[in-house]
Amino acid sequence: MGCFFGPSCVARSALGYPLDLMSTPASPAPGVYHSRSRVTRNRAVLAAAGVALVLLGYLIGRLQGGPGDAAAAVPPGAQGSSAAAPGAPGATVPGDAPAPSADDPQATEPSSEPPAPEGGTDAYGTIQAESATNQQGLQYEDTQDEGGGQNVGYVNNGDWLRYDDLNFGTTPATRFAARVASDVGDGVTGQLDIRLDSPTAPPVGGLTVGNMGGWQNWQTQSTVIMPVTGKHTVFLTFASQSGTEFLNLNYFAFSH
């Protein structure tokens, strides 16, 4: 816009200034402002789109790579750099399992007791004498003892009874008891010995029996034996110097 020819214009003209230099600059056309605003907005949109694409690519890479990529990205020299040096407190040798804590209720020492043998006849139950797997020189007869059934009779020197697979378990048997009767002459005795796995093996224990007042006058006699565990064939062997029958046997059992 030009000068309005007011007093200031006259003064400026008198000083020699051109009137066109004193004129007010013309305002830009409205379209110029709109063009600049559009350019600025387009640049901002492009920048935001670029950032969004970068973030999207990062997320896709994380989803496809999985947790293993993070470990793979660690430089080889950096792995294990925080581990304690061998010999340092808290350091562990590869392959060594941590020692169990004494306060841990599950930290129990392995049992030194051998596993119990399976099957067989329970050595701690009542074993009827007439249930022998095999025998030599003996006869069976009806018994008058409590419970009835039969007993082994006419026991003489050199006779024996065999019982297979008696299971003594892992806790040793230390006693033997037998239900016996005898009407042998006064002063005559005989021997009942317990042997393992052979009728000629050294005895682990035995009973010395004498006159009890009748062949059906039953008594329970017991003795201490050497500790026996596991599963064995048990032989009861009989010996006497009299040369005559000296014993009847109804049943027997072992105990701890």
Side-chain angles (χ1 to χ4, degrees):
M1 181 180 292
C3 182
F4 289 100
F5 299 101
S8 60
C9 291
V10 175
R12 292 174 184 270
S13 178
L15 292 174
Y17 291 104
L19 290 178
D20 57 346
L21 294 177
M22 302 302 297
S23 61
T24 302
S27 299
V32 174
Y33 290 109
H34 290 298
S35 298
R36 291 178 179 176
S37 176
R38 186 179 299 111
V39 170
T40 302
R41 184 169 59 253
N42 289 343
R43 289 178 179 175
V45 171
L46 289 175
V51 172
L53 288 175
V54 171
L55 291 175
L56 180 61
Y58 172 76
L59 291 175
I60 293 175
R62 292 281 293 180
L63 292 175
Q64 291 180 345
D69 289 348
V74 179
Q79 294 182 357
S81 59
S82 61
T92 58
V93 179
D96 287 353
S101 170
D103 298 331
D104 186 357
Q106 296 182 350
T108 57
E109 295 183 359
S111 174
S112 59
E113 188 172 297
E118 298 180 357
T121 301
D122 183 10
Y124 304 106
T126 299
I127 301 173
Q128 296 294 330
E130 67 273 17
S131 67
T133 308
N134 200 357
Q135 56 91 10
Q136 175 177 290
L138 301 168
Q139 300 179 36
Y140 302 153
E141 62 182 3
D142 293 338
T143 184
Q144 299 175 18
D145 196 6
E146 296 178 0
Q150 290 187 312
N151 64 258
V152 171
Y154 306 96
V155 177
N156 205 336
N157 182 59
D159 295 343
W160 51 261
L161 292 163
R162 171 180 168 174
Y163 302 87
D164 290 343
D165 296 329
L166 293 194
N167 192 338
F168 292 87
T170 57
T171 302
T174 57
R175 297 193 65 84
F176 172 85
R179 188 73 167 169
V180 293
S182 178
D183 197 18
V184 71
D186 291 339
V188 178
T189 60
Q191 185 72 18
L192 183 163
D193 286 324
I194 305 105
R195 305 174 191 265
L196 302 180
D197 304 317
S198 171
T200 59
V204 296
L207 290 172
T208 300
V209 295
N211 194 323
M212 301 174 201
W215 294 111
Q216 292 295 321
N217 289 341
W218 295 97
Q219 297 180 11
T220 300
Q221 297 188 6
S222 63
T223 184
V224 175
I225 63 172
M226 296 174 60
V228 180
T229 60
K231 189 187 296 185
H232 297 278
T233 295
V234 173
F235 287 87
L236 301 183
T237 62
F238 305 95
S240 174
Q241 299 297 325
S242 67
T244 61
E245 293 88 0
F246 67 93
L247 183 68
N248 282 356
L249 176 65
N250 190 7
Y251 55 80
F252 63 93
F254 295 88
S255 60
H256 301 297

